[in-house]
Amino acid sequence: GAVVSQHPSRVICKSGTSVKIECRSLDFQATTMFWYRQFPKQSLMLMATSNEGSKATYEQGVEKDKFLINHASLTLSTLTVTSAHPEDSSFYICSASQRNQPQHFGDGTRLSIL
Amino acid sequence: QKEVEQNSGPLSVPEGAIASLNCTYSDRGSQSFFWYRQYSGKSPELIMFIYSNGDKEDGRFTAQLNKASQYVSLLIRDSQPSDSATYLCAVRVNTGTASKLTFGTGTRLQVTL
């Protein structure tokens, strides 16, 4: 149980492109989804917390207009990186949890901006 | 002072030995504690969670929590080469709804043949 699916697993695109990443909880209803970014050899950095049907809460220093988060249902959240630039290249990982249950992570999306 | 501290390692143990991974945290309001395993290039995978003082065992894994000392550890018995990974300690302060985790930087474990 507690399977979280994340797509796509890898994206390579040109600078200026917008990229959408999907995160789905497959066998449970995720009241909260989280989006993280991880640079090589560094720990996870929380970008934002998303509750179903409400606006995401962004961590300090994360641009909400650049990283658009939508959590339209209890099983789906999306992260859109708008007008991506090379410095946005990173490993983006979502997680989902049901109420105060542990967070379960998706497989991550490796984003490379040329 | 970092909120969640771990020794970055690498911690090297021979196959079959016990690996002991340690974590300290600064927020006394922390109520839930998690250990995740992350293989290189992959996303974290939940290994154990513990909410109460004492030990919690699951197969080869034992989580230990001491809230008075603000210390949580993970023991891996009969370590296998497949256990080689980075182990992330995460701490949560429950606020009624699903609350965010604060992660340590992880300890890299190497199990040698």
Side-chain angles (χ1 to χ4, degrees), chain A residues 31-32 34 36 38 42-44 46 49 51 59 91 93 97-108 110, chain B residues 32 34 36 38 40-46 49 51 88 92 94-101 103-106:
Chain A
T31 49
T32 308
F34 304 83
Y36 295 84
Q38 187 175 36
Q42 295 186 21
S43 191
L44 297 168
L46 179 67
T49 302
N51 291 299
E59 294 299 300
F91 190 39
I93 315 172
S97 69
Q98 186 175 38
R99 294 188 180 81
N100 272 326
Q101 295 302 305
Q103 289 183 31
H104 294 275
F105 286 83
D107 288 339
R110 198 160 300 282
Chain B
S32 308
F34 306 85
Y36 287 86
Q38 186 174 26
S40 181
K42 303 294 185 183
S43 66
E45 173 191 8
L46 180 68
F49 59 92
Y51 300 153
L88 302 171
R92 184 174 74 190
N94 294 344
T95 61
T97 56
S99 305
K100 63 183 182 181
L101 295 176
F103 282 88
T105 53

Side-chain angles (χ1 to χ4, degrees), chain A residues 1-47:
Chain A
V3 177
V4 178
S5 173
Q6 186 174 343
H7 292 282
S9 58
R10 174 141 195 152
V11 179
I12 302 173
C13 58
K14 294 181 179 179
S15 184
T17 306
S18 292
V19 178
K20 179 185 279 190
I21 303 169
E22 287 190 353
C23 180
R24 294 181 184 271
S25 56
L26 297 185
D27 54 358
F28 67 101
Q29 292 187 325
T31 49
T32 308
M33 288 186 170
F34 304 83
W35 288 95
Y36 295 84
R37 181 167 52 181
Q38 187 175 36
F39 292 106
K41 299 191 185 302
Q42 295 186 21
S43 191
L44 297 168
M45 186 192 81
L46 179 67
M47 299 175 68

